[in-house]
Amino acid sequence: MRAAGQAPPRVLTVAGSDSGGGAGIQADLKTMLALGVHGMSVITAVTAQNSVGVQGAWELPVEAVRAQYRSVVDDIGVQAVKTGMLASAELVEAVAELISGTDAPVVVDPVGVSKHGDPLLAASALDSVRTRLLPVATVATPNLDEVAQLTGRQVASEADLRPAADAVLAYGPQWVLIKGGHLTGEAVDLLTDGDREFRLRAPRHDNRHTHGTGCTLASAIASGLAKGLPVPEAVTAAKEYVTGAIARGFALGAGIGPVDHGWRSR
């Protein structure tokens, strides 16, 4: 318990805005509030987005992203940083430079496509993610599609998770969490730093309303790290939180609804 008037741990999300409220900055801030940290934001892009897809996306100028970051970090400070949609090589490189000068753990969610399959990262930015962003990550959290984008490796079964993780680790992050949610059977993720290995299992819920799961998981990990948890404990707690949020996902609009970020309080 913190004393009255004492600030909670501070987490900064550097990501795009989801106008439908299920993913991106909106999901990040809801997750951070639910997990007891103070969320702050650097908006990298604005999307017109709803339950059926992304109708438009407009990235912000690099100088606007840099100004937001410096404004928050230089005055308020951070205990963890999470990155999401970065859109272009120029933004990836600028954010990587900013993060490298910040003394805080970093969770990199290398967002490539939306839940609906809409591209959210320019193909020309992939090399910048590999060579500039992943090397400054404390934890990288690619899903199977993003693993394929970054490494060319296809993950078809649980046996493929460790080789995929090793391929991502080769780019320099301290830890990699390969999210196996797109496999059949149990929802199993693999966390490793190259030496230690943890397989995180959860029942698969029969719920199609899963918009924002990746953003939510990465933000939950960052929240745990900001509280001082070691990486394995932060990831384990985040997995439990997002599993509950998926179980309580709800319908919005005509397509895929969001997970329930406030499930613990309802």
Side-chain angles (χ1 to χ4, degrees), residues 118-140:
D118 302 292
L120 298 176
L121 180 72
S124 59
L126 283 172
D127 193 55
S128 295
V129 172
R130 297 183 191 104
T131 62
R132 299 291 299 277
L133 190 61
L134 288 177
V136 299
T138 307
V139 187

Side-chain angles (χ1 to χ4, degrees), residues 25 29 47 53 91 102 117 133 144 151 155 176 180 185 187 191 209 216 230 240 249 253 257-258 266:
I25 290 282
L29 294 178
T47 69
L91 285 177
T102 303
L133 190 61
L144 303 189
T151 70
V155 178
V176 171
L191 174 69
H209 302 300
T216 299
E240 190 271 336
R266 298 192 201 284

Side-chain angles (χ1 to χ4, degrees), residues 3-230:
Q6 181 183 9
R10 289 145 287 168
V11 182
L12 178 63
T13 170
V14 184
S17 169
D18 173 4
S19 55
I25 290 282
Q26 288 80 357
D28 297 341
L29 294 178
K30 291 173 187 177
T31 299
M32 294 168 190
L33 179 63
L35 296 180
V37 301
H38 176 67
M40 305 170 291
S41 63
V42 171
I43 297 175
T44 60
V46 175
T47 69
Q49 187 172 170
N50 55 27
S51 70
V52 297
V54 178
Q55 292 76 47
W58 301 266
E59 66 183 78
L60 268 67
V62 168
E63 56 267 30
V65 170
R66 186 177 285 113
Q68 290 175 82
Y69 191 98
R70 290 264 61 94
S71 179
V72 171
V73 172
D74 293 349
D75 174 51
I76 301 172
V78 294
Q79 275 73 58
V81 179
K82 175 260 177 183
T83 72
M85 177 185 176
L86 298 181
S88 69
E90 292 78 13
L91 285 177
V92 170
E93 291 171 10
V95 169
E97 180 184 359
L98 290 163
I99 287 171
S100 67
T102 303
D103 185 18
V106 178
V107 180
V108 170
D109 185 15
V111 174
V113 296
S114 76
K115 179 68 68 177
H116 308 88
D118 302 292
L120 298 176
L121 180 72
S124 59
L126 283 172
D127 193 55
S128 295
V129 172
R130 297 183 191 104
T131 62
R132 299 291 299 277
L133 190 61
L134 288 177
V136 299
T138 307
V139 187
T141 64
N143 63 27
L144 303 189
D145 291 335
E146 291 154 356
V147 167
Q149 273 190 317
L150 291 167
T151 70
R153 286 186 171 270
Q154 301 295 327
V155 178
S157 69
E158 185 177 338
D160 298 325
L161 292 174
R162 181 55 194 261
D166 289 338
V168 178
L169 280 172
Y171 292 117
Q174 295 175 33
W175 290 83
V176 171
L177 177 69
I178 304 293
K179 299 178 293 191
H182 293 167
L183 297 175
T184 57
E186 277 188 309
V188 56
D189 303 333
L190 178 94
L191 174 69
T192 182
D193 64 354
D195 295 320
R196 292 167 287 176
E197 180 181 306
F198 304 86
R199 290 183 187 249
L200 309 175
R201 301 179 185 276
R204 186 175 298 279
H205 295 289
D206 184 19
N207 186 351
R208 68 187 293 264
H209 302 300
T210 56
H211 185 49
T213 50
C215 305
T216 299
L217 179 63
S219 294
I221 295 169
S223 297
L225 295 176
K227 295 175 182 177
L229 294 178

